[in-house]
Amino acid sequence: MSEHKGTQRTNTAAANDDADVAALRERVRGRTLLPGDDGFAARCAGFQTAYRHRPSVLVRAADPEDVVAAVAYAAARDLPVAVQATGHGLSVPTDGGLLIDTAGLSGVTVDAPARTARIGAGTRFAAVVEAAARHGLAPLNGSAPGAGAVGYVLGGGLGLLAREFGYAADRVGSIDIVTADARPRHVTARSEPELFWALRGAGANFGVVTGMDIDLVPVSRLYGGELVFDLARTPDLLADYLRWTETLPDELTSSVSLLDHPDLPLFPATVRGRFTAHVRIAYTGDGRTGERLVAPLRALGPRLSDTVAEMPYTECGAIYNDPPMPHAYQGDNILLRAFGPEQAAEVTRLAGAGTGLPCVVDVRHLGGALGRPAAVPNAVGHRAARYLLRVLTPLMGAEPDAAAGVRDKVLGALAAESVGGRFQNLVYGGCANGAPKAPAQDFWEPADHRRLSALKAEIDPANLFRFNRNIEPAGWNTPR
Ligand SMILES: Cc1cc2nc3c(=O)[nH]c(=O)nc-3n(C[C@H](O)[C@H](O)[C@H](O)COP(=O)(O)OP(=O)(O)OC[C@H]3O[C@@H](n4cnc5c(N)ncnc54)[C@H](O)[C@@H]3O)c2cc1C
């Protein structure tokens, strides 16, 4: 009983009747923690350090039955429920309510002949990549091996192999979820088609997922890595990159990030004080063809580094080298139908010298399988988008409002080309100053949002699951 003693403990005593909590503790095989209990603050913390959950009760689930008990407890008291696996994607922190920590529900079982994996709710992608690779297979993971696989899939999942295989949410066989009625459901395209459609793209709104079956793809190696350019020597790199993407097969997925590195000791000497462009590449075809495809980029000028080569898929985390340690960050994006050379010049100007922030402007090349509907349709929309432009600001002492200023200018420069939406997984930030003001409607196509809202009214009429990119139940009057 060491952390946050005092006022918070007193508030909690009011929110949780002692006898009720004792009954919950009795029923849960994992741990039930209140503010002030040992481990409570540590379990509320996650990868995102700019915001944190402040629930009045936390359940560390050890099995799906614990999730059922926790949801039943919350529903009976009208306590809203939040979920955290790793904290990479914290969007709306709880203030009060019940937090279900799914980190303990981890595990991967590969069915190699079926090319599928059964994953628990707390599983990180690093474990799925390792397990799949033993069978010459790969999941449709994103850039960071430490991110939670289930949260990523529920938000769409834009991965390293996305142009060839589509969104991760496009390749899911079944989902186990505990809904607001505290009922565990095994949801498939046959058992509950409407809910199955919704969960793949808007899942966090409909309950707590305890596990899912995802498809694996036959990829064991790549021609991939990163090319780093100094924009002082290749100032038109962004426009040249965009032109290059028009020539590519679907088997090549790539992105470019522009980073203005302030002259600070925390940056490596090779990039410190420089405005650099990082082109990230994952190509599943043979190395010789890969070299030919990448040659026009290499011809643009000298590179500060060039790691693009044959690699086992197990090393795919090295393509983006995302920081593995928790930190504070904000980010927003828009989905674009086009991205022309004048706009590239403007974005380069706005993101470059003078921002004074370690600001990352990231352009992901979409199209290919991302432009086609999933074999079993789902709630991931905006498929006409050809590029995703995002601005990410690590808040290393930077003022959130300053970060918002740069972000809004860069995204504003392309507003005319927006398909009218954002990709939810790549919007980062809670409710504090300077956070993205992305309305939830932006994450789905308007007709899909109406359909999701109608289903939400059926499955979660009290909006128990509202600490997320919230879809309000149709006709719901938000009690705020
Ligand atoms: C460094 C970094 C790199 C990333 N790269 C990519 C990328 O390449 N492509 C991409 O698409 N995304 C990417 N993301 C975004 C990431 O996929 C999302 O933030 C995702 O939500 C993270 O899930 P999590 O479980 O790790 O995070 P958490 O913060 O634990 O969960 C995020 C949210 O997901 C929901 N959720 C999680 N688990 C469950 C569950 N069991 N049931 C119901 N809802 C649940 C909840 O709403 C929760 O608030 C990246 C994020 C970071 C920080």
Side-chain angles (χ1 to χ4, degrees):
M1 299 279 245
S2 60
E3 300 151 12
H4 293 304
K5 279 191 177 152
T7 48
Q8 224 178 333
R9 185 87 176 108
T10 315
N11 293 343
T12 305
N16 305 296
D17 184 288
D18 284 353
D20 287 0
V21 172
L24 180 64
R25 278 210 168 104
E26 191 65 26
R27 196 170 158 196
V28 163
R29 198 167 70 80
R31 293 193 68 197
T32 301
L33 300 171
L34 299 182
D37 288 350
D38 276 341
F40 177 88
R43 296 315 308 173
C44 289
F47 188 81
Q48 165 67 277
T49 59
Y51 322 96
R52 71 154 56 191
H53 289 297
R54 299 191 186 283
S56 58
V57 55
L58 182 150
V59 171
R60 293 189 66 184
D63 53 35
E65 288 72 38
D66 284 358
V67 175
V68 171
V71 172
Y73 174 89
R77 289 157 189 80
D78 200 21
L79 274 181
V81 177
V83 188
Q84 179 158 277
T86 74
H88 277 69
L90 173 57
S91 59
V92 182
T94 48
D95 186 9
L98 183 144
L99 177 63
I100 299 180
D101 171 0
T102 60
L105 298 178
S106 61
V108 191
T109 314
V110 173
D111 180 341
R115 289 187 182 163
T116 60
R118 172 84 195 154
I119 55 172
T123 312
R124 294 177 190 253
F125 262 124
V128 192
V129 168
E130 281 298 329
R134 282 181 225 123
H135 306 276
L137 300 168
L140 297 180
N141 55 295
S143 62
V150 163
Y152 164 93
V153 173
L154 296 180
L158 179 59
L160 300 175
L161 309 179
R163 281 173 35 81
E164 183 172 1
F165 298 107
Y167 290 99
D170 296 352
R171 290 168 179 261
V172 175
S174 70
I175 297 179
D176 289 291
I177 188 166
V178 178
T179 42
D181 50 5
R183 196 178 123 203
R185 305 182 191 218
H186 180 68
V187 184
T188 67
R190 277 173 171 237
S191 70
E192 294 191 72
E194 189 65 2
L195 186 55
F196 191 62
W197 168 81
L199 293 180
R200 295 165 303 133
N205 272 279
F206 292 92
V208 186
V209 171
T210 54
M212 57 170 66
D213 288 301
I214 55 170
D215 289 357
L216 303 173
V217 294
V219 172
S220 58
R221 51 146 294 283
L222 287 176
Y223 182 71
E226 179 191 50
L227 305 164
V228 184
F229 295 87
D230 183 348
L231 282 157
R233 303 185 73 174
T234 49
D236 298 328
L237 195 283
L238 178 55
D240 291 336
Y241 165 81
L242 292 168
R243 204 169 300 114
W244 174 72
T245 59
E246 288 166 14
T247 67
L248 300 174
D250 293 356
E251 291 77 19
L252 198 156
T253 301
S254 72
S255 71
V256 62
S257 296
L258 310 185
L259 281 83
D260 188 28
H261 298 89
D263 192 2
L264 296 173
L266 66 106
F267 295 113
T270 41
V271 296
R272 189 182 308 155
R274 291 177 202 264
F275 186 24
T276 56
H278 302 239
V279 181
R280 274 79 178 235
I281 290 169
Y283 175 60
T284 56
D286 67 274
R288 188 175 290 199
T289 313
E291 239 172 72
R292 190 171 47 71
L293 289 167
V294 175
L297 280 182
R298 291 190 164 122
L300 292 174
R303 276 90 59 205
L304 294 171
S305 86
D306 182 341
T307 64
V308 182
E310 281 284 329
M311 61 161 69
Y313 195 78
T314 45
E315 284 172 23
C316 64
I319 297 176
Y320 280 78
N321 258 322
D322 283 329
M325 61 289 184
H327 61 281
Y329 47 97
Q330 286 183 346
D332 200 356
N333 68 77
I334 46 174
L335 293 162
L336 305 169
R337 63 174 69 82
F339 201 153
E342 288 97 49
Q343 292 151 324
E346 178 66 354
V347 165
T348 307
R349 187 184 71 73
L350 289 168
T355 62
L357 292 171
C359 163
V360 185
V361 171
D362 187 34
V363 179
R364 298 210 178 187
H365 180 210
L366 308 180
L370 296 167
R372 299 188 277 274
V376 180
N378 59 29
V380 181
H382 302 303
R383 291 184 186 244
R386 297 193 48 223
Y387 298 96
L388 180 152
L389 169 67
R390 78 165 163 153
V391 181
L392 174 69
T393 322
L395 298 175
M396 297 181 296
E399 285 298 317
D401 287 336
V406 177
R407 189 178 66 225
D408 293 348
K409 270 191 218 157
V410 173
L411 297 181
L414 266 294
E417 300 297 353
S418 167
V419 297
R422 294 163 148 95
F423 180 65
Q424 58 172 312
N425 269 4
L426 299 180
V427 175
Y428 304 134
C431 304
N433 287 348
K437 302 201 170 39
Q441 291 91 309
D442 275 15
F443 300 120
W444 298 279
E445 306 250 1
D448 288 348
H449 186 258
R450 285 193 293 278
R451 184 172 164 188
L452 290 165
S453 185
L455 184 66
K456 177 86 171 172
E458 203 183 299
I459 303 282
D460 181 15
N463 206 3
L464 201 66
F465 301 103
R466 71 178 83 129
F467 289 110
N468 47 42
R469 309 281 178 211
N470 193 227
I471 297 160
E472 292 185 356
W476 196 64
N477 205 357
T478 319
R480 286 190 189 126

